[in-house]
Amino acid sequence: MHSSAVFLIEFGAIILGLGLLGRLAARLRFSPIPLYLLAGLAFGEGGLLPLGTSEEFVAIGAEIGVVLLLLMLGLEYTAGDLVSNLKTQYPAGIVDATLNALPGAVMALLLGWGPIAAVVLAGITWISSSGVIAKVLGDLGRIGNRETPVILSILVLEDLSMAVYLPVVTALLAGTGIAAGSVTLAIALGVAGVVLLVAVRYGRHISRFVSTDDPEKLLLVVLGLTLVVAGVAQQLQVSAAVGAFLVGIALSGEVAEGAHNLLAPLRDLFAAVFFVFFGLHTDPASIPPVLLPALALAAVTTLTKIATGWWAARRAGISGRGRWRAGGTLVARGEFSIVIAGLAVTSGIDSDLGPLATAYVLILVVIGPLTARYTEPLALRLTGGRGGARPAREPGAEREVSAGTGAGREAEAGREAEAGREAEAGREAEAGTEAETRAGTAGGPEPLAPGQETPVSRS
């Protein structure tokens, strides 16, 4: 059979299978991510039906999926929101790095892998998966929750930290001198700083340049700009995900809203491909020998991530339910952990590090959507409903967009004004009813004509 025909059949079968799995997950009211990963295991190395000609295209689609996930996440917030959140949440970033990097470093040292492997495994256990978490937030309808800006701030701090961490790890694994490693680090930091500066200061100009009334042109320009920035950032040792996120931050107003609507179907398609690709490169036979240490590490770092999110949300004034949701959402690891492990495997630092990292990430990328959904109800049940919660809010209060954004402030002001008008109208109507009652009592009831109804207040 012709290779192009085989490619179409394979890739079409993948997309069709993902669609069916997505429908099954929707019926079960469950995130489809674990099902996508299991599908990747079935079609990957050592699986039931390994792919052939379409694997390279799936790899490219997976990279686009991560980029689109972070772009769409960036479109939800403005540059001002980013800067203010980073200023207020940097202590949470420090707590995050301390609680979640140390278990990986300790595990590597206990296994006798040495200090360089400890630095590598520390990064693997530290960094949450922006791609998985972005998908989970959308699936659970939590983009507008009050704890979501806290989650995003921690993710952005982690992603920006990769601009420092990855060059350092690359230099350590390559055995280069301090001077060469310093040059690489300086370039990475400079590029990340320039992109952030452009997003913050010139975001309005970028939005005007991109803006158009034609949906086709808007889609092409935004998608092309995002891929170019992500590619340049990747080439200069800065994460492509960071570049895509900052492009989303730079766009605002009608451009951001229009781009979000146009790119949502593409994001869902390529994000699903990303999770399948992750499973494709996991050989099921390599997991059992390292399963026990991977499970132990996953258990410890699940608790440390939940503690990180809970503490950060508490510090931001979020109620008890939101604190547990923030902690559970941060558990998943994914793309960055695999990138770090890939660097270590390529350098040949230790033969068991790759399978351990793969098993660890696979466990948490499956558990992550579950903890995001069930940490809150489980914690409230175990604590008897005492989650450190503040006084009860009105229904839906936890789902309001943070008032730190312009849209949130306008929506809040509109709701307050509407509530004030309704209360004033109610008071006027009540006063009118009381006046009519007093008048009727003083003057006595008037006789009704035959068929005439009793007057009723129109309040």
Side-chain angles (χ1 to χ4, degrees), residues 209-212 216-226:
F209 169 75
V210 173
S211 179
T212 176
E216 177 184 353
K217 295 183 177 63
L218 179 62
L219 173 64
L220 293 175
V221 172
V222 172
L223 181 59
L225 177 64
T226 302

Side-chain angles (χ1 to χ4, degrees), residues 185-195:
L185 177 59
I187 293 174
L189 290 177
V191 171
V194 168
V195 174

